[in-house]
Amino acid sequence: MSARENPAAAAAPVPRPPSDTARLCIHTITTRPWPLEDAVRHYAEAGVAGITVWRDALEGREPAAARRMIRDAGLTVVSLCRGGFFPGKDARSRNQAVEENQRIIEEAERLGAPLLVLVCGAVPGLPLAESRKQIREGIEAILPHAAAAGVRLAVEPLHPMYADSRSAINTLRQANDLTAAIGSPVVGVAVDVYHLWWDSDLEPEIRRCAGMRRLFAFHICDWRSPTNDLLYDRGLMGEGCIPIREIRGWMEAAGFDGFNEVEVFSTRRWSQDQGSYLTEIVQAYLSAS
Amino acid sequence: MSARENPAAAAAPVPRPPSDTARLCIHTITTRPWPLEDAVRHYAEAGVAGITVWRDALEGREPAAARRMIRDAGLTVVSLCRGGFFPGKDARSRNQAVEENQRIIEEAERLGAPLLVLVCGAVPGLPLAESRKQIREGIEAILPHAAAAGVRLAVEPLHPMYADSRSAINTLRQANDLTAAIGSPVVGVAVDVYHLWWDSDLEPEIRRCAGMRRLFAFHICDWRSPTNDLLYDRGLMGEGCIPIREIRGWMEAAGFDGFNEVEVFSTRRWSQDQGSYLTEIVQAYLSAS
């Protein structure tokens, strides 16, 4: 059944582990206890090349100053996380979401982030088809703003276990359909192995996304067995069952040459010493991704 | 986007709530604190028409005696839950799974259950494509046994959040592909709204399944927001965001006229008085499913 589901899988060889950290990016949320300044310093010391900044890490800081600090440390800003959450039960809340996303785009521009990741949103009880329509309308409403700011937008399909309240876009196929319908080079997709690893259409949809030139970002972590929390029990690469390296092979065979972004939400990891955790992250990256 | 995704949705009207309990079935796991004898007596008193028996409820009982008790109470045995878990890392464990499923089929036959529900299985680290191949081989191995016993088999696609360790069959499309490949009238599908509600292909795949005459069972419950546990925090109909009635409409429009089976795993509900809970179940069934 493997070959039929996935005709290119046999052809694309699973790549070797990364030989260095030149494409390693870490999301600030991964080391949440660290203030942005500590994260930047420690990432740079560990040889990490890129940083994706979560908005909570910017709180109380001027984005342009954060931009200089990150540049001075020798790191590249890969993206800002996150905008989105477009659906709402009334026009007022949907308009507020558009305005909030316009502010976030300005923040991304000042931070020097070339990409804003979108968690598209869902509202319990709102039909998913209606949420998807509102998501498209929301993205189209902020599109001129993003284009003018030079900030691209990445739709991140979320795992179906978040379809109730976080995103009505739950497969790469849906994200590809959405970006194809919008039809702008500004709007592409972020592939996160945690959300998509289970999908037997993942490899052909990665190729389709790349064929549309919409493959904008690649997030990695692992799925622990058992997983004890729907949100905050992600694993470090190698701690779970996701075929990370195989999926990275599909990305690279499709032409993706961007960063491999480590994005781990884990109360367990946040409670440990973040310095030794960072060492483990780099080791896991080099051995299991 | 709704109409394009789902061309028949607009045409199939959402049905009225059930007017009576003639098609109401309850899974014994829903009222887990009750021994089988109590469940049967209380279900019958509440006007419940069918019962799906979980194997833990049979422990220490002779299935044929349970069959008589259920029949004498006026209830119909809808199915036995559950067989499956076919994949394994070596041939020995896969053979053991086949033998175990043969014993479960005999149990279903003695219980008078016309249907055995299959949670197909997955093993952390085993590639999903390999698990799917092993699932097909496992079902084909027990098929003659099931046919001889007069017990049909229902593949239950499980939510993608169970793809690590419970089932590599995670969408109705995959279940339909699997049953189509097996090609036996003995092997069909159980549709559970909890596992499948998020899938934008659900309605056309229900029609496809019905067209193959493989629509064997329908399980209902609800998805709570937030959901606090991956396994044991299901909601009663109306407590969550699943469009249960719309999905029932799709089932009925496709020709399904079997039981509506209430299957709720909830530590919260198991800790309350099961008699008043049963009253709530019947009310929720009549008002929100």
Side-chain angles (χ1 to χ4, degrees):
Chain A
M1 194 180 289
S2 160
R4 185 174 60 83
E5 283 180 337
N6 197 345
V14 175
R16 291 169 183 275
S19 54
D20 56 44
T21 56
R23 289 174 61 187
L24 170 58
C25 165
I26 301 181
H27 283 229
T28 57
I29 190 99
T30 303
T31 57
R32 189 164 76 172
W34 272 340
L36 180 61
E37 294 71 17
D38 291 2
V40 167
R41 180 164 51 87
H42 290 298
Y43 291 3
E45 285 170 2
V48 176
I51 184 170
T52 279
V53 179
W54 275 60
R55 294 190 67 218
D56 66 292
L58 282 179
E59 218 164 284
R61 293 163 180 85
E62 170 48 46
R67 171 189 200 151
R68 286 189 296 273
M69 175 184 66
I70 292 169
R71 185 197 53 202
D72 291 349
L75 290 172
T76 298
V77 178
V78 177
S79 63
L80 178 65
C81 273
R82 55 195 192 182
F85 291 98
F86 297 106
K89 289 204 169 168
D90 53 54
R92 184 193 162 98
S93 63
R94 294 194 292 275
N95 289 338
Q96 284 175 340
V98 165
E99 288 164 14
E100 170 73 356
N101 276 279
Q102 289 171 339
R103 281 192 294 274
I104 300 172
I105 288 167
E106 288 165 28
E107 201 171 286
E109 185 182 17
R110 295 208 301 280
L111 179 67
L115 186 69
L116 173 63
V117 176
L118 300 178
V119 169
C120 292
V123 179
L126 196 66
L128 291 174
E130 175 61 26
S131 285
R132 291 181 196 122
K133 178 174 161 288
Q134 295 181 6
I135 288 166
R136 177 174 171 179
E137 290 167 355
I139 294 175
E140 289 177 336
I142 64 169
L143 192 44
H145 215 80
V151 174
R152 298 198 298 176
L153 305 171
V155 171
E156 180 169 11
L158 253 56
H159 195 284
M161 72 184 172
Y162 304 125
D164 61 329
S165 59
R166 283 184 170 73
S167 184
I169 306 294
N170 306 106
T171 62
L172 183 50
R173 176 156 66 93
Q174 288 176 331
N176 283 340
D177 287 348
L178 176 62
T179 56
I182 293 173
S184 161
V186 173
V187 183
V189 174
V191 168
D192 185 320
V193 300
Y194 192 76
H195 297 302
L196 305 177
W197 73 278
W198 57 272
D199 185 355
S200 51
D201 285 338
L202 182 54
E203 192 274 340
E205 290 295 336
I206 284 174
R207 273 186 288 136
R208 177 182 166 214
C209 189
M212 298 190 294
R213 309 187 74 79
R214 297 289 188 276
L215 210 48
F216 285 1
F218 184 46
H219 299 176
I220 57 176
C221 69
D222 216 333
W223 183 286
R224 288 158 51 82
S225 300
T227 288
N228 296 316
D229 188 275
L230 276 86
L231 282 172
Y232 302 125
D233 194 26
R234 295 190 182 196
L236 210 51
M237 299 76 72
E239 287 184 338
C241 61
I242 299 178
I244 301 168
R245 196 173 299 162
E246 182 176 29
I247 298 172
R248 181 167 65 80
W250 298 339
M251 294 287 292
E252 292 175 1
F256 182 77
D257 60 0
F259 283 89
N260 302 311
E261 307 180 38
V262 177
E263 183 189 31
V264 178
F265 314 146
S266 168
T267 44
R268 191 176 43 93
R269 290 302 195 167
W270 291 331
S271 71
Q272 89 174 71
D273 173 77
Q274 298 297 285
S276 62
Y277 178 34
L278 179 58
T279 304
E280 286 187 69
I281 293 172
V282 174
Q283 286 169 349
Y285 176 73
L286 292 174
S287 65
S289 67
Chain B
M1 195 179 288
S2 159
R4 186 175 59 83
E5 281 181 338
N6 198 344
V14 175
R16 292 169 183 276
S19 54
D20 57 44
T21 56
R23 289 173 61 186
L24 170 57
C25 164
I26 301 181
H27 283 227
T28 56
I29 191 99
T30 302
T31 57
R32 190 165 75 171
W34 272 340
L36 180 62
E37 294 72 19
D38 291 2
V40 168
R41 181 163 51 88
H42 291 298
Y43 292 1
E45 284 169 4
V48 176
I51 186 170
T52 278
V53 179
W54 277 59
R55 294 189 67 216
D56 66 292
L58 282 179
E59 219 165 284
R61 293 163 180 84
E62 169 49 45
R67 171 190 200 151
R68 286 188 296 273
M69 175 184 66
I70 293 168
R71 185 197 54 202
D72 292 349
L75 291 171
T76 298
V77 178
V78 176
S79 63
L80 178 66
C81 273
R82 57 195 190 182
F85 290 98
F86 296 106
K89 288 204 168 169
D90 54 54
R92 184 193 162 100
S93 63
R94 294 196 292 276
N95 289 338
Q96 283 175 340
V98 166
E99 288 165 14
E100 171 74 355
N101 275 280
Q102 289 172 338
R103 281 191 294 273
I104 300 172
I105 288 168
E106 288 166 26
E107 202 171 286
E109 185 183 16
R110 295 207 303 277
L111 180 66
L115 186 70
L116 173 64
V117 176
L118 300 179
V119 169
C120 291
V123 178
L126 196 67
L128 290 173
E130 175 61 26
S131 285
R132 291 180 196 123
K133 177 174 161 287
Q134 294 181 7
I135 288 166
R136 177 174 171 179
E137 290 167 354
I139 294 174
E140 289 178 336
I142 64 170
L143 192 45
H145 215 81
V151 174
R152 298 199 297 176
L153 304 171
V155 170
E156 180 170 11
L158 253 55
H159 195 283
M161 72 184 173
Y162 304 124
D164 61 330
S165 59
R166 284 183 169 74
S167 184
I169 305 294
N170 305 107
T171 63
L172 184 50
R173 177 157 66 94
Q174 288 176 331
N176 282 341
D177 287 349
L178 176 62
T179 56
I182 293 173
S184 161
V186 172
V187 182
V189 174
V191 168
D192 184 320
V193 299
Y194 192 76
H195 298 302
L196 304 177
W197 73 278
W198 58 272
D199 185 357
S200 51
D201 285 337
L202 182 55
E203 192 275 340
E205 291 294 337
I206 284 174
R207 274 188 286 137
R208 175 182 167 215
C209 189
M212 298 191 294
R213 310 187 73 80
R214 297 289 188 277
L215 210 48
F216 285 2
F218 184 47
H219 299 176
I220 58 176
C221 69
D222 216 332
W223 183 286
R224 288 159 51 82
S225 301
T227 289
N228 296 317
D229 188 275
L230 276 86
L231 282 172
Y232 301 125
D233 193 26
R234 294 191 182 196
L236 210 50
M237 298 76 72
E239 287 183 337
C241 62
I242 300 178
I244 301 169
R245 197 174 297 161
E246 183 177 26
I247 298 173
R248 181 167 65 79
W250 297 340
M251 294 288 291
E252 292 174 1
F256 181 76
D257 61 359
F259 283 90
N260 301 311
E261 307 180 38
V262 178
E263 182 190 30
V264 178
F265 314 145
S266 168
T267 44
R268 190 176 43 94
R269 291 301 196 165
W270 291 331
S271 71
Q272 88 174 73
D273 174 77
Q274 297 297 287
S276 62
Y277 178 34
L278 179 59
T279 304
E280 286 186 69
I281 293 171
V282 174
Q283 285 169 349
Y285 176 74
L286 292 174
S287 64
S289 67

